[in-house]
Amino acid sequence: MIQEELQKRKAGLILEGGSSRGVFTAGVLDYLLEKDFLFPYVVGVSAGACNALSYVSQQKGRSFNCFAPKKKEDRYKNSVRQAFKQRSFYDMDKLFETFPKETFPYDFEAYLNQGMECEMVVTNVYTGKAEYLSEKDNMERLCQICRASASLPLFSPMVMIDGVPYLDGGLADSVPLRHALQTGHKKNVLVLTRPRGYRKKFPSESARMYIAFFKKYPNLVKSIYYRPYYYNKTMETIERLEDKGKIFVIRPTLPCPGRTEMDWEKLHAFYHHGYHTMVMEYERMKKFLGISFDR
């Protein structure tokens, strides 16, 4: 019933990334799953893409378990030796092959049967532009798209999809509000992982590293270099539309963990901050969306 009403209102759910900060979004979405509140359209970036998949398959708790596994053998931050061997700060095979198939099994059938549209943002290495990919038939390809969306430059290798190399979607479109609007979704709820007023600093030393490492991909370098500029402009637009009541934003108000934080207690606390933020904002969000009932 709620999903049908949201479909009529052309409602969309937009999920920012942020690596470990994604546990905040996991908390937000778990509360929505408890209320059986399913948006017909979801678009996620990087960690937001990972969250989107567990939300669509209605697997409450799965995202948090993936972000912050308790067992030592399930932790995915590579040692220095492993990082050099895999050319990745994180064990991406564990995250996007072992986890969905074995450790925290992904319910692909439930994902298919929800009838929800789920897009994940990736950055085309050749063009430096964002692409918005989805998959309805093949779980392997679905996991590859999600992997690409979360593959940070320098921290993770490129991911090949249909013969094209991709990296983290946040490089070209950190918060795809414009895309959601262009695809006809007029009532959008955004889940951000930074507090209001946060702005990125323009790259300096790191920019030279990217230029040297990706010199064969000038369009990608350009997107990385100007990412803070476009991110900050997007935040200005979001805050302006939020103040006018044209979008609804859920964001943390407590200090955020670092993007590579692995301390389980800190991540668990930030997850609960997301959950309780959604509890407090739920009725206000329903009013914004024009929903006056549950389930």
Side-chain angles (χ1 to χ4, degrees):
M1 181 72 75
I2 290 177
Q3 194 172 352
E4 292 175 3
E5 291 300 315
L6 292 173
Q7 185 76 54
K8 292 176 184 177
R9 289 161 175 73
K10 298 182 179 179
L13 180 63
I14 302 168
L15 308 177
E16 186 184 18
S19 293
S20 294
R21 292 193 305 277
V23 295
F24 176 85
T25 305
V28 170
L29 299 182
D30 277 357
Y31 183 75
L32 291 180
L33 288 177
E34 284 185 11
K35 305 299 286 187
D36 211 17
F37 203 99
L38 301 176
F39 283 79
Y41 171 77
V42 186
V43 57
V45 184
S46 194
C50 301
N51 273 310
L53 293 188
S54 292
Y55 173 70
V56 175
S57 64
Q58 295 192 63
Q59 290 178 272
K60 182 179 179 290
R62 182 181 179 276
S63 279
F64 177 74
N65 289 333
C66 290
F67 282 117
K70 261 197 165 181
K71 294 181 181 178
K72 186 176 180 180
E73 61 267 28
D74 294 332
R75 294 171 188 168
Y76 51 86
K77 185 177 179 179
N78 275 331
S79 65
V80 174
R81 178 179 294 181
Q82 290 171 318
F84 274 107
K85 184 178 179 180
Q86 297 182 14
R87 296 183 295 113
S88 179
F89 183 78
Y90 298 117
D91 187 337
M92 301 297 275
D93 288 340
K94 179 179 285 188
L95 278 168
F96 295 100
E97 291 185 26
T98 307
F99 277 13
K101 294 177 182 177
E102 301 172 17
T103 315
F104 307 110
Y106 186 67
D107 193 341
F108 187 60
E109 288 301 316
Y111 166 85
L112 293 177
N113 293 332
Q114 289 309 316
M116 299 162 69
E117 183 181 1
C118 180
E119 292 186 318
M120 292 172 279
V121 187
V122 294
T123 299
N124 184 311
V125 170
Y126 294 141
T127 66
K129 295 182 178 180
E131 294 182 16
Y132 309 87
L133 305 182
S134 60
E135 177 56 45
K136 292 291 183 69
D137 299 310
N138 189 305
M139 180 172 162
E140 295 285 344
R141 188 172 184 274
L142 182 75
C143 290
Q144 280 294 93
I145 294 171
C146 190
R147 179 173 182 160
S149 185
S151 290
L152 297 167
L154 301 182
F155 284 84
S156 306
M158 300 175 188
V159 177
M160 300 296 292
I161 301 172
D162 304 329
V164 178
Y166 292 96
L167 280 171
D168 192 300
L171 302 176
D173 194 356
S174 296
V175 185
L177 174 60
R178 178 178 293 183
H179 174 74
L181 291 169
Q182 288 175 341
T183 52
H185 301 94
K186 298 178 180 179
K187 300 284 284 187
N188 291 295
V189 172
L190 284 66
V191 183
L192 306 183
T193 58
R194 292 282 198 183
R196 182 174 172 126
Y198 172 80
R199 299 292 186 270
K200 289 187 180 295
K201 296 179 180 179
F202 210 78
S204 53
E205 294 299 320
S206 60
R208 285 196 281 272
M209 293 175 59
Y210 290 126
I211 291 170
F213 196 83
F214 295 111
K215 59 184 178 182
K216 293 182 180 180
Y217 309 101
N219 291 323
L220 177 67
V221 170
K222 184 178 179 181
S223 290
I224 294 172
Y225 188 82
Y226 285 103
R227 183 191 181 195
Y229 172 79
Y230 289 110
Y231 178 90
N232 294 344
K233 294 291 286 184
T234 299
M235 289 301 113
E236 290 170 9
T237 299
I238 287 171
E239 290 170 12
R240 184 174 67 253
L241 292 176
E242 180 185 19
D243 290 341
K244 292 180 178 179
K246 294 185 176 181
I247 59 174
F248 192 90
V249 182
I250 302 164
R251 54 165 70 83
T253 55
L254 296 180
C256 301
R259 66 182 305 123
T260 60
E261 180 63 66
M262 288 286 124
D263 184 281
W264 190 89
E265 294 295 338
K266 291 180 180 178
L267 295 178
H268 191 247
F270 203 53
Y271 163 84
H272 276 287
H273 179 43
Y275 181 93
H276 289 296
T277 299
M278 188 67 257
V279 171
M280 298 300 293
E281 294 286 353
Y282 184 63
E283 292 300 327
R284 200 165 69 88
M285 182 191 73
K286 283 170 53 182
K287 184 176 180 181
F288 165 79
L289 293 167
I291 302 294
S292 59
F293 53 87
D294 280 342
R295 299 181 188 266

